[in-house]
Amino acid sequence: MTKNLAGGLQWAIFLIASSIAAPIAIASIFGMDTADTALFLQRTIFVLGIACLIQAFIGHRLPINEGPAGLWWGVFIVYAGLVGVLYSTAEESLQVLQSGLFYSGILFIVFAVTGVVDKLKQFFTPTVTFVYLLLLVLQISESIMKGLFGISSEGDLMDVRVLLAAVAVILITFYFMFHRSAFISRYSVLLSIAFGWLLFWAIGKAPSIPETSGAWMTFPDMLVFGPLVFDGGMLVTTLFLTVLLIANMMASVSVMESLLKNAFSIQSEDRMKQASVASGLNHLLAGLFSSVGPVPISGAAGFVSATRTPGLRPFIVGGVIVTGISLFPQLMAVLASLPAPVAYAVIFAIFSKMIEMAFNELEAEPNRKRAYKVAAFGLMTGVGLMFIPTESMAGLPSAVAAILSNGLISGTIIAIIIEQVMTRVIRIK
């Protein structure tokens, strides 16, 4: 019981630390005040906790935490730019986005029932997974390095003390991860975050815990932005978006299955259809509670590899802890005060494992010549799009802008297309 509780606490801290950036950034884009931002964060964390439990019990049944989908993050940014253009107020735009989550939830379930999900699974070969994992690490590397340098906004100067402290946290994380003691390596993330928090407090770089007002326990409000509405543009956007989210989900599940099989000799059953239905329920939940659409996070494989905790029970305990914490504003305030460089330092160590997994996937590809060509197209396209400012795509349809502004998804799609062309048409040997 103690083992599951400690593992669950570690999962909970990892989930929250890797998820708070998106809702805070979205709230800022839409001009929410401090109180509304705190409530938006609460609703998002609450939904993510429930989403983990839904996937654990009726979905893929793997230790993969749910996080704010990067694709939805991109769509929120696009629709924030439409305020004053297509929508008169930010609330009206958010109401459409809230409704879009419902559209997506229904589409997830329809695609699962009709067999579309099963047909998509064949495209996720070792080569495509390799491209996806590398692009994932490259996409998040900018945020990680800015966090390690203490840069929180454009124009900030690097903070040398923050950088040195962050490097110390990275080193201690690797030390804990590869420690001979099974206890220390299993709880390396928890121990590293505790060490980092104390270190930043000692050097005076830990933010103070904000005061909270009102009830000591609050349940998230529903349909905060108003009743559901029909919007044709959003329906088209969610149609494409849901297909891409399914691809993202499949990649995350595929990576975790590969890790469990190779590193822990654990075989998992094919539950991709159930995972899609669970994702549909999670999106309906996200729309009901006016939050951000969730998606299984590939970084979970790095977390499991680093902590050597492939069991489902600690993951379920973590989901319960996250859900419970979200109901207590003061606890949310404490966790939200975790120094960002500490979170980024630990994530740096975890994502370094993802690169190792990526090359392990490539080694499983029998046709290396074709794999190298596919990877070249996918990586060049994906990385190149990461350098194009999102504002440059403001004139495009929202669905197209959401895809092109996400180098991870675009590069993966290109890799799938090129590999299929080479396999079925060119027949490169």
Side-chain angles (χ1 to χ4, degrees):
M1 180 62 185
T2 304
K3 179 179 177 181
N4 289 334
L5 184 61
L9 180 60
Q10 183 169 241
W11 265 113
I13 293 177
F14 172 69
L15 189 152
I16 293 175
S18 60
S19 300
I20 59 176
I24 292 175
I26 290 171
S28 174
I29 291 168
F30 279 92
M32 297 184 193
D33 58 24
T34 304
D36 287 338
T37 298
L39 292 173
F40 188 61
L41 175 62
Q42 179 203 21
R43 294 194 301 271
T44 300
I45 297 300
F46 174 79
V47 167
L48 293 179
I50 296 293
C52 288
L53 297 177
I54 290 176
Q55 287 286 9
F57 285 110
I58 67 172
H60 48 61
R61 294 183 180 175
L62 295 170
I64 307 174
N65 62 297
E66 297 276 320
L71 280 167
W72 272 116
W73 192 347
V75 171
F76 270 81
I77 292 173
V78 170
Y79 271 72
L82 298 178
V83 176
V85 181
L86 292 181
Y87 307 104
S88 56
T89 63
E91 288 72 20
E92 185 179 342
S93 181
L94 286 166
Q95 185 181 22
V96 171
L97 288 162
Q98 173 185 269
S99 303
L101 290 166
F102 271 89
Y103 305 162
S104 185
I106 294 170
L107 288 170
F108 261 109
I109 297 172
V110 170
F111 289 153
V113 172
T114 57
V116 173
V117 171
D118 292 330
K119 293 178 181 178
L120 289 174
K121 186 178 180 180
Q122 63 180 310
F123 297 116
F124 285 86
T125 63
T127 302
V128 171
T129 305
F130 165 76
V131 172
Y132 175 85
L133 286 174
L134 270 191
L135 287 175
L136 175 67
V137 175
L138 292 171
Q139 185 177 61
I140 200 173
S141 61
E142 179 184 5
S143 298
I144 291 176
M145 295 311 297
K146 284 183 177 179
L148 296 179
F149 277 74
I151 299 172
S152 57
S153 59
E154 200 70 32
D156 286 352
L157 298 176
M158 66 168 288
D159 190 317
V160 176
R161 282 200 300 167
V162 167
L163 175 61
L164 293 176
V167 170
V169 177
I170 292 174
L171 295 176
I172 202 68
T173 303
F174 277 114
Y175 174 75
F176 288 151
M177 282 169 52
F178 298 106
H179 200 278
R180 286 179 295 179
S181 167
F183 176 86
I184 293 177
S185 63
R186 182 176 295 116
Y187 302 115
S188 57
V189 170
L190 187 61
L191 294 171
S192 299
I193 287 177
F195 168 82
W197 209 329
L198 287 172
L199 177 60
F200 273 72
W201 175 79
I203 65 174
K205 290 295 181 178
S208 57
I209 300 174
E211 294 291 332
T212 58
S213 57
W216 62 277
M217 179 180 180
T218 60
F219 192 81
D221 293 329
M222 294 183 282
L223 298 177
V224 174
F225 306 121
L228 300 179
V229 296
F230 177 78
D231 185 282
M234 175 54 72
L235 180 60
V236 174
T237 298
T238 52
L239 178 61
F240 289 100
L241 189 68
T242 303
V243 173
L244 297 175
L245 288 170
I246 289 175
N248 197 330
M249 175 194 74
M250 287 182 168
S252 298
V253 172
S254 176
V255 170
M256 181 59 75
E257 288 176 336
S258 178
L259 171 69
L260 294 179
K261 178 181 178 181
N262 297 328
F264 300 99
S265 300
I266 299 175
Q267 294 286 348
S268 57
E269 57 181 318
D270 184 3
R271 295 184 58 84
M272 206 66 80
K273 185 178 293 185
Q274 292 91 328
S276 183
V277 171
S279 290
L281 296 176
N282 291 341
H283 271 72
L284 293 174
L285 192 69
L288 181 64
F289 286 98
S290 308
S291 63
V292 187
V295 70
I297 300 300
S298 301
F303 176 86
V304 170
S305 177
T307 59
R308 302 175 192 175
T309 53
L312 195 57
R313 287 185 180 178
F315 175 74
I316 292 173
V317 172
V320 173
I321 292 174
V322 168
T323 305
I325 286 175
S326 69
L327 303 179
F328 297 90
Q330 190 59 44
L331 290 177
M332 281 295 299
V334 171
L335 288 174
S337 65
L338 170 69
V342 174
Y344 282 118
V346 174
I347 290 173
F348 179 95
I350 290 173
F351 271 78
S352 68
K353 301 288 289 183
M354 303 293 288
I355 298 177
E356 180 182 335
M357 291 177 203
F359 284 98
N360 287 338
E361 286 291 325
L362 189 61
E363 288 179 3
E365 176 58 64
N367 192 330
R368 294 288 182 83
K369 183 178 179 181
R370 184 182 66 205
Y372 294 150
K373 293 180 184 296
V374 171
F377 277 99
L379 291 172
M380 287 187 67
T381 303
V383 174
L385 286 172
M386 292 177 191
F387 288 98
I388 298 178
T390 306
E391 299 79 24
S392 301
M393 303 177 189
L396 298 173
S398 55
V400 177
I403 296 171
L404 291 181
S405 62
N406 191 314
L408 169 63
I409 295 299
S410 298
T412 303
I413 291 174
I414 292 297
I416 291 174
I417 293 172
I418 296 299
E419 184 173 53
Q420 292 303 308
V421 170
M422 287 184 170
T423 303
R424 302 182 183 186
V425 180
I426 303 178
R427 300 284 181 184
I428 290 183
K429 299 179 180 181

